[in-house]
Amino acid sequence: MEEGSSAGSAGSDSRTSGSGGAQQRELERMAEVLVTGEQLRLRLHEEKVIKDRRHHLKTYPNCFVAKELIDWLIEHKEASDRETAIKLMQKLADRGIIHHVCDEHKEFKDVKLFYRFRKDDGTFPLDNEVKAFMRGQRLYEKLMSPENTLLQPREEEGVKYERTFMASEFLDWLVQEGEATTRKEAEQLCHRLMEHGIIQHVSNKHPFVDSNLLYQFRMNFRRRRRLMELLNEKSPSSQETHDSPFCLRKQSHDNRKSTSFMSVSPSKEIKIVSAVRRSSMSSCGSSGYFSSSPTLSSSPPVLCNPKSVLKRPVTSEELLTPGAPYARKTFTIVGDAVGWGFVVRGSKPCHIQAVDPSGPAAAAGMKVCQFVVSVNGLNVLHVDYRTVSNLILTGPRTIVMEVMEELEC
């Protein structure tokens, strides 16, 4: 009898664990769609696709025409064809992110109907999950401001982790910033953030405790999302860098033939990958643009180091040698609603590791494997990628970059 009872208990725990895992995956999926939809909304506002429109003498504020949006998605390589574009927008409609302005059509149609983002008319449902997500998003953006130094590389049990915060210091900061009135309230907030998968202990060994233990944000609020990822029902499991404007990996482990930008798969080497991305949102109090995306996985969000795209190492001296087979090019890149759209890596000299084909950098002519010579007139041939990234992130929205590119033989 005791053995049978024990087996029954184990089975119950297994079912509970499975249910919890399914719930967590659904939260992850919801977060994926939320951040993807928000990035799209901001881009459409900037490019005036979303605007006030009139029909039958009535004005419909902040809306877009379905047919025109599908044209835009195809033009900007967010969808390969109209059928795919409809499926993408239907995903947003199913999650309540967009809707027909009169709520007369539940299906997204390729016709001249007006649709609107619910965030633009105040009808977006704010349940507990969404509230926790938006709270975590705001906290992350405040922590990532240039004047804040709370997030730092630190070691715990002999392992170094990037972008960590100490629990006790984080609680102090929450009270100082007015995010909580007392330490107890701040600690309750941290428990909610952990429950919703927004923060975690660096090695997943501890719940949130007011101590010297280290924690990280599980969600990467600065990775550029591709709309096509909405059609991948699996939540992201590979680790992404906190700095990357988009993930340095193939778009899908299950569909490796489909890559939306030139990059490489990550190696197992644990290091930081830097990227150039400005973050902001009207509610975040910073300038530029906010690019949000969760990195939700059961493993700790240690930053991974993708294999270099360079065929061989190149020194600054080699680039500057008279007669060397390299050509100088200068790009003026104006950040769009999602940022600049490239990743820089390496040291002395740094090189372009990846370029988003639909971003401003690609439009200016930037390509992978180019070496960064200067940023806004400052020579950077003898510094590492962290320095270059910082120059861009703390500089103006319009950047002037000089690069050197190997001549084709």
Side-chain angles (χ1 to χ4, degrees):
M1 290 295 294
E2 290 180 358
E3 290 181 359
S5 174
S6 175
S9 176
S12 176
D13 289 343
S14 175
R15 286 191 296 271
T16 301
S17 175
S19 175
Q23 183 180 12
Q24 182 61 34
R25 286 191 295 274
E26 175 58 23
L27 286 175
E28 294 171 9
R29 192 62 194 155
M30 178 203 69
E32 288 281 338
V33 181
L34 280 176
V35 295
T36 304
E38 178 62 10
Q39 287 185 10
L40 177 63
R41 186 183 73 88
L42 292 174
R43 289 179 70 189
L44 296 178
H45 268 289
E46 179 165 287
E47 300 204 16
K48 309 300 182 185
V49 177
I50 293 177
K51 58 185 178 182
D52 295 351
R53 300 174 186 272
R54 289 182 62 82
H55 181 66
H56 289 170
L57 302 180
K58 181 177 180 180
T59 299
Y60 296 87
N62 292 323
C63 63
F64 59 88
V65 179
K67 191 175 184 66
E68 292 179 3
L69 177 60
I70 291 177
D71 294 337
W72 186 92
L73 292 174
I74 295 174
E75 179 184 351
H76 288 77
K77 298 181 174 61
E78 292 290 353
S80 57
D81 52 56
R82 306 191 77 81
E83 182 180 356
T84 301
I86 293 172
K87 290 180 180 178
L88 291 170
M89 297 311 297
Q90 188 63 48
K91 287 283 186 181
L92 298 182
D94 292 342
R95 290 283 180 166
I97 294 175
I98 64 170
H99 69 120
H100 179 250
V101 290
C102 299
D103 290 318
E104 295 176 354
H105 303 275
K106 291 185 178 180
E107 294 183 355
F108 189 85
K109 301 179 179 181
D110 185 6
V111 293
K112 291 184 178 181
L113 288 175
F114 292 170
Y115 289 82
R116 184 186 292 129
F117 281 81
R118 289 190 178 276
K119 195 166 184 179
D120 284 331
D121 60 15
T123 62
F124 191 79
L126 294 177
D127 55 23
N128 290 334
E129 287 78 11
V130 174
K131 287 180 180 178
F133 172 81
M134 295 178 69
R135 188 74 177 274
Q137 182 184 61
R138 186 175 77 247
L139 292 175
Y140 185 86
E141 289 302 322
K142 292 176 70 172
L143 288 170
M144 289 299 292
S145 64
E147 62 272 12
N148 195 297
T149 59
L150 196 65
L151 297 184
Q152 295 287 339
R154 296 181 177 90
E155 286 191 12
E156 186 170 292
E157 297 183 351
V159 179
K160 186 175 182 179
Y161 300 93
E162 300 292 339
R163 302 241 190 257
T164 69
F165 58 86
M166 191 178 297
S168 57
E169 293 180 358
F170 188 51
L171 294 176
D172 291 337
W173 180 81
L174 288 172
V175 175
Q176 292 170 5
E177 290 292 312
E179 295 289 346
T181 56
T182 63
R183 288 185 68 84
K184 182 177 181 181
E185 183 181 326
E187 192 168 358
Q188 291 173 344
L189 170 60
C190 292
H191 287 308
R192 290 199 300 273
L193 294 178
M194 285 200 74
E195 289 172 3
H196 290 89
I198 297 171
I199 63 172
Q200 69 177 23
H201 177 250
V202 290
S203 60
N204 282 324
K205 293 181 179 179
H206 302 282
F208 189 88
V209 182
D210 185 357
S211 63
N212 291 336
L213 290 174
L214 301 182
Y215 296 82
Q216 288 176 314
F217 278 81
R218 291 180 67 186
M219 306 186 73
N220 180 348
F221 288 100
R222 293 194 164 192
R223 180 173 75 82
R224 178 172 182 166
R225 304 301 294 170
R226 306 292 303 182
L227 275 178
M228 287 299 295
E229 294 178 48
L230 291 177
L231 300 183
N232 179 12
E233 293 299 329
K234 295 184 178 180
S235 58
S237 57
S238 63
Q239 298 170 7
E240 302 157 3
T241 96
H242 288 262
D243 292 315
S244 296
F246 45 90
C247 184
L248 281 178
R249 60 171 171 80
K250 305 282 187 181
Q251 283 295 317
S252 167
H253 295 293
D254 299 323
N255 187 15
R256 298 188 178 183
K257 293 181 180 179
S258 175
T259 57
S260 62
F261 57 92
M262 185 175 291
S263 184
V264 290
S265 300
S267 68
K268 295 181 180 179
E269 185 181 359
I270 298 176
K271 287 185 180 178
I272 186 171
V273 178
S274 183
V276 287
R277 171 65 61 194
R278 178 181 297 277
S279 96
S280 87
M281 210 170 143
S282 57
S283 60
C284 296
S286 56
S287 60
Y289 172 52
F290 159 79
S291 173
S292 62
S293 172
T295 300
L296 299 172
S297 61
S298 58
S299 57
V302 180
L303 305 184
C304 60
N305 182 28
K307 182 180 177 182
S308 173
V309 295
L310 298 179
K311 296 179 180 178
R312 64 177 181 84
V314 176
T315 65
S316 298
E317 290 72 22
E318 180 180 345
L319 292 176
L320 298 175
T321 301
Y326 296 95
R328 289 182 181 247
K329 295 185 177 182
T330 301
F331 304 129
T332 299
I333 307 172
V334 182
D336 66 7
V338 186
W340 296 281
F342 67 97
V343 177
V344 64
R345 186 171 174 266
S347 177
K348 304 178 183 180
C350 303
H351 64 271
I352 304 302
Q353 174 75 9
V355 179
D356 183 346
S358 64
M366 181 173 283
K367 300 177 182 178
V368 296
C369 298
Q370 291 174 334
F371 297 96
V372 184
V373 177
S374 68
V375 176
N376 294 330
L378 182 64
N379 189 292
V380 294
L381 275 174
H382 301 285
V383 300
D384 64 10
Y385 62 87
R386 293 182 180 89
T387 303
V388 173
S389 295
N390 188 58
L391 284 173
I392 296 171
L393 288 167
T394 58
R397 184 177 181 183
T398 299
I399 58 174
V400 178
M401 292 186 63
E402 184 180 15
V403 302
M404 296 187 77
E405 178 180 287
E406 188 171 9
L407 297 173
E408 296 183 1
C409 300

